[in-house]
Amino acid sequence: MQKLQGIAVSPGVAMGEALVMDNEGFRIPRRFVARDAVEHELERLDQAIRAAGEEIDANRQAVSRELGDQYGAVFSAHLQMLRDPALRIELDEMIRQRHYSPEYAVSRALRRYAKVFQSIESSYLAERVNDIFDIEKRLLRNLLGRRREELSQVISPVVVLAHNLTPSETANLNREFVRGFATEIGGPGSHTAIVAEGMEIPAVVGTGPFLTDVSGGDLVIIDGDLGLVILQPDEETIARYRHEAAEHVSRATQLEALKELPAETADGVRIELFGNIEFPHEVRHCVERGSDGIGLYRTEFLYLGAASEPDEAVHYEAYASVMNEMHDRPVIIRTCDLGADKVSHDAEETRNPTLGLRSIRLSLKNLPLFRVQLRALVRASALGDLRIMFPLISTLLELRQAKMVLADVMEDLDEEGVKFNHQLPVGMMVEVPAAVLMIDHFVDEVDFLSIGTNDLTQYTLAADRSNKDVAGLYSSADPAVLRLIRMAITAADLKQVPVNICGQMSGNSLYTLLLLGLGLRRLSVPPSTIPEIKMVCRTVTIPQCQRVADHVMTLENSRDIKNYLRDELKKVVPQLVS
Ligand code: PEP
Ligand code: MG
């Protein structure tokens, strides 16, 4: 058994056979072979080694011809490794004695070699690890041929293990079969993490390298509550997790009973609980959990994985389906927040994409794209209580420009005789420290604010939300972030502008007492967390929350703040504190 600590990003526990993705996004299968198929499998291995050898030799000759023998020598080293008799003996033994499939034997043996190289402190040998992976990939390609399977073709329950998954790869996981996933890289606030939580798939990211230690078919546990990945767990661990899974189900049943009850504090203050969604179909998750509305619809996900740019009809259809399902409940739709980790939009070439042409900046630079979305939004406002929100506003000028484009679009639609809500509320995300510092001006120009703690944390602490190496620094409980949140709430309250909070922080019950105590009365959360947050709201009083918030604001670091909040939560809803 091997235990790895990563970052817990989507709660729950998953146990199942590992599906290990190679770096090209293909699955490395494990298949035991039948005893009488051994000779045939050895023959397949022979052919694959021969074909891989021929490919490498062809590369060696081509490169030597073009660049000289010293460059071609790289491939000679590959050939030597591929034809190493010790490797061949090991592979034969695995297939003959243990009845492993050649694919499994190849990945197991070469990953063991890679691990040995990685553990030796020599940069030369560390470089050679890539050569080993290269040989593994080449052999697998030859062995699998057209039988290579893509992630989307999974047809049995698995736990996906990968170096990285992009937000759109995550969104395309087949929920029916993928029980959970773990990735070597990624940070706590990444959109991959957010999508996983939206899909309610237990997930752990940022474990560091471990794929060399595991092969397809191994039993793996993903603990999305504690951020653990357990490879080949022992019987005792399996039994413990089975027990926990049963408890999880009983707690979920208990929480389900709250569905029809309002999120009202013990002293009678109504808290609005809204859902965050990435895709229209998630509205169902919100309705099922009794949400009061949609507080954040991240429309950029319309673009992710789409074969072509969505036109006005595609936008409208998505918004109309959300409006129709929510009936008259409020729906806050955010204009596209493309860029950074959410879309490939030249992010590869852009240095510091999080500080680049992202979000509203991109919309204002690409007005045709922005206008298409705004037209669809304004048209959909005829269907119910639709509110528009602009993301990543940093300056007053940006907000005014965005509002001007919106006014222009409304004028056009008026001329075309299209019906819509002329008073549709317009708000902005508060997620850049500059916006908080100017908040007393912003409140005069918007109908509502929504605090985005994911980006506010990233930009306040200068810590990339997707980078595991600064995950220790990236904390929404940092006193600097909390001060900014408090400033925004105070300014909004002064002008009686409704203020919402919609980053991942609001869906974590650890922070509910604090957020209510700071004055928030509307929380927008991942749908799966609605029952838990509602339970906390219904247990506490506002003065109790205010006392907690007052104390928190005297503390100096996020660790003390989290420990204090854990103790306070334990006093009121002990079953939520593990
Ligand atoms: C945020 O930044 O807190 C937020 C809600 O937006 P996103 O996570 O989509 O950047
Ligand atoms: Mg954001």
Side-chain angles (χ1 to χ4, degrees):
M1 177 164 100
Q2 194 183 342
K3 248 186 203 181
L4 304 149
Q5 183 67 58
I7 303 165
V9 291
S10 181
V13 168
M15 195 179 329
E17 277 195 8
L19 185 161
V20 186
M21 302 307 295
D22 68 17
N23 287 347
E24 292 175 5
F26 289 99
R27 170 185 198 168
I28 303 169
R30 171 190 200 162
R31 286 196 194 105
F32 284 106
V33 295
R35 198 178 292 264
D36 57 5
V38 163
E39 291 308 323
H40 170 70
E41 295 298 318
L42 285 168
E43 175 55 28
R44 259 193 345 110
L45 177 66
D46 253 351
Q47 278 170 10
I49 293 177
R50 225 176 302 129
E54 280 162 16
E55 283 170 19
I56 298 171
D57 202 38
N59 284 344
R60 184 184 62 76
Q61 287 180 29
V63 170
S64 300
R65 234 185 353 260
E66 293 291 320
L67 300 169
D69 283 347
Q70 69 273 37
Y71 291 94
V74 174
F75 294 101
S76 304
H78 279 204
L79 267 182
Q80 219 176 338
M81 276 196 235
L82 177 76
R83 293 173 179 161
D84 178 2
L87 172 66
R88 187 57 212 258
I89 290 169
E90 191 174 341
L91 294 175
D92 277 10
E93 193 269 338
M94 284 187 190
I95 299 170
R96 260 189 220 289
Q97 315 289 332
R98 290 188 246 174
H99 298 157
Y100 286 167
S101 68
E103 289 88 349
Y104 182 62
V106 161
S107 90
R108 183 131 201 152
L110 287 170
R111 278 165 190 245
R112 192 179 65 75
Y113 282 18
K115 202 171 166 215
V116 173
F117 275 55
Q118 273 170 336
S119 66
I120 299 170
E121 280 193 16
S122 146
S123 58
Y124 172 76
L125 287 179
E127 288 287 312
R128 300 279 72 79
V129 169
N130 288 332
D131 294 339
I132 295 178
F133 284 139
D134 207 76
I135 293 168
E136 181 200 2
K137 234 185 280 174
R138 202 180 281 283
L139 271 176
L140 287 177
R141 208 177 292 138
N142 277 292
L143 279 166
L144 292 166
R146 278 187 290 125
R147 292 192 298 135
R148 286 164 55 142
E149 288 174 279
E150 284 188 62
L151 198 45
S152 55
Q153 294 163 345
V154 174
I155 47 157
S156 60
V158 288
V159 166
V160 171
L161 307 176
H163 177 62
N164 189 23
L165 287 176
T166 63
S168 59
E169 281 167 341
T170 310
N172 284 325
L173 291 176
N174 184 339
R175 186 69 197 86
E176 193 185 344
F177 298 117
V178 177
R179 297 282 148 88
F181 73 81
T183 59
E184 294 185 322
I185 64 169
S190 64
H191 286 89
T192 294
I194 289 168
V195 173
E197 193 166 12
M199 293 171 78
E200 301 178 18
I201 297 179
V204 173
V205 303
T207 55
F210 75 97
L211 292 180
T212 47
D213 297 340
V214 63
S215 289
D218 286 354
L219 186 66
V220 175
I221 295 175
I222 307 278
D223 182 337
D225 299 317
L226 298 179
L228 290 174
V229 179
I230 305 172
L231 308 178
Q232 297 180 315
D234 57 27
E235 286 305 319
E236 192 191 326
T237 309
I238 295 173
R240 186 157 47 78
Y241 272 101
R242 288 225 165 96
H243 176 71
E244 265 180 39
E247 279 199 344
H248 198 78
V249 171
S250 101
R251 197 166 70 211
T253 318
Q254 199 188 344
L255 288 170
E256 211 168 285
L258 295 175
K259 184 191 161 192
E260 304 299 337
L261 301 172
E264 192 174 285
T265 60
D267 53 344
V269 175
R270 180 71 160 88
I271 308 299
E272 283 180 299
L273 280 189
F274 284 14
N276 293 344
I277 61 167
E278 285 74 45
F279 301 97
H281 66 82
E282 287 176 275
V283 172
R284 190 172 38 85
H285 298 174
C286 298
V287 174
E288 277 166 7
R289 270 113 178 183
S291 88
D292 294 304
I294 302 295
L296 169 65
Y297 172 10
R298 292 179 163 102
T299 58
E300 53 278 8
F301 283 85
L302 274 175
Y303 287 77
L304 299 189
S308 58
E309 205 156 285
D311 60 13
E312 189 179 322
V314 172
H315 279 279
Y316 181 79
E317 199 185 316
Y319 308 149
S321 81
V322 174
M323 297 309 295
N324 289 335
E325 236 180 301
M326 290 307 288
H327 301 292
D328 285 333
R329 278 179 273 185
V331 176
I332 299 177
I333 305 187
R334 183 175 74 180
T335 61
C336 277
D337 188 10
L338 289 168
D341 66 330
K342 271 185 252 186
V343 81
S344 57
H345 169 79
D346 82 357
E348 296 275 300
E349 293 121 60
T350 309
R351 278 180 174 224
N352 297 330
T354 32
L355 302 180
L357 195 60
R358 156 185 184 194
S359 197
I360 193 70
R361 302 168 187 182
L362 191 62
S363 299
L364 290 174
K365 181 118 183 173
N366 188 343
L367 286 181
L369 177 122
F370 194 30
R371 289 176 65 93
V372 162
Q373 173 166 42
L374 289 176
R375 278 181 64 90
L377 282 170
V378 173
R379 282 173 52 211
S381 73
L383 303 172
D385 185 356
L386 185 150
R387 306 171 188 185
I388 292 183
M389 176 159 75
F390 298 124
L392 208 80
I393 295 288
S394 309
T395 68
L396 282 160
L397 207 65
E398 252 174 357
L399 174 67
R400 289 175 191 157
Q401 276 179 308
K403 285 174 69 176
M404 263 163 49
V405 182
L406 176 63
D408 201 45
V409 162
M410 285 178 157
E411 216 175 283
D412 284 356
L413 287 169
D414 249 344
E415 275 171 22
E416 291 168 31
V418 176
K419 281 204 174 17
F420 60 88
N421 174 12
H422 286 76
Q423 266 74 49
L424 83 88
V426 178
M428 63 178 262
M429 295 277 300
V430 179
E431 51 184 347
V432 179
V436 182
L437 296 171
M438 295 295 286
I439 201 74
D440 50 332
H441 292 268
F442 280 113
V443 286
D444 290 331
E445 306 198 17
V446 290
D447 297 310
F448 64 91
L449 299 175
S450 191
I451 303 170
T453 52
N454 303 336
D455 277 314
L456 190 59
T457 304
Q458 150 167 278
Y459 293 125
T460 303
L461 294 164
D464 186 339
R465 55 194 274 190
S466 307
N467 184 341
K468 72 178 173 59
D469 297 328
V470 289
L473 192 58
Y474 178 91
S475 170
S476 299
D478 190 279
V481 179
L482 297 182
R483 283 184 188 202
L484 291 173
I485 294 175
R486 187 175 56 178
M487 275 172 72
I489 298 170
T490 308
D493 285 351
L494 201 67
K495 292 282 170 69
Q496 298 191 331
V497 172
V499 58
N500 172 27
I501 186 159
C502 65
Q504 298 305 95
M505 181 187 202
S506 56
N508 185 342
S509 55
L510 186 65
Y511 300 117
T512 311
L513 279 89
L514 169 65
L515 298 178
L516 299 187
L518 286 173
L520 287 160
R521 298 293 175 262
R522 178 186 294 165
L523 311 177
S524 189
V525 304
S528 59
T529 66
I530 290 176
E532 203 167 302
I533 304 294
K534 193 187 272 189
M535 179 179 249
V536 181
C537 291
R538 291 183 60 81
T539 316
V540 297
T541 65
I542 293 296
Q544 192 179 5
C545 294
Q546 281 164 342
R547 273 195 302 278
V548 168
D550 286 348
H551 183 70
V552 164
M553 298 312 282
T554 67
L555 299 175
E556 287 179 346
N557 63 67
S558 72
R559 195 196 51 207
D560 290 351
I561 291 172
K562 283 194 221 167
N563 286 339
Y564 169 71
L565 288 173
R566 199 165 291 119
D567 290 345
E568 290 302 308
L569 183 61
K570 204 169 187 168
K571 285 183 202 161
V572 289
V573 202
Q575 64 270 42
L576 292 184
V577 183
S578 51

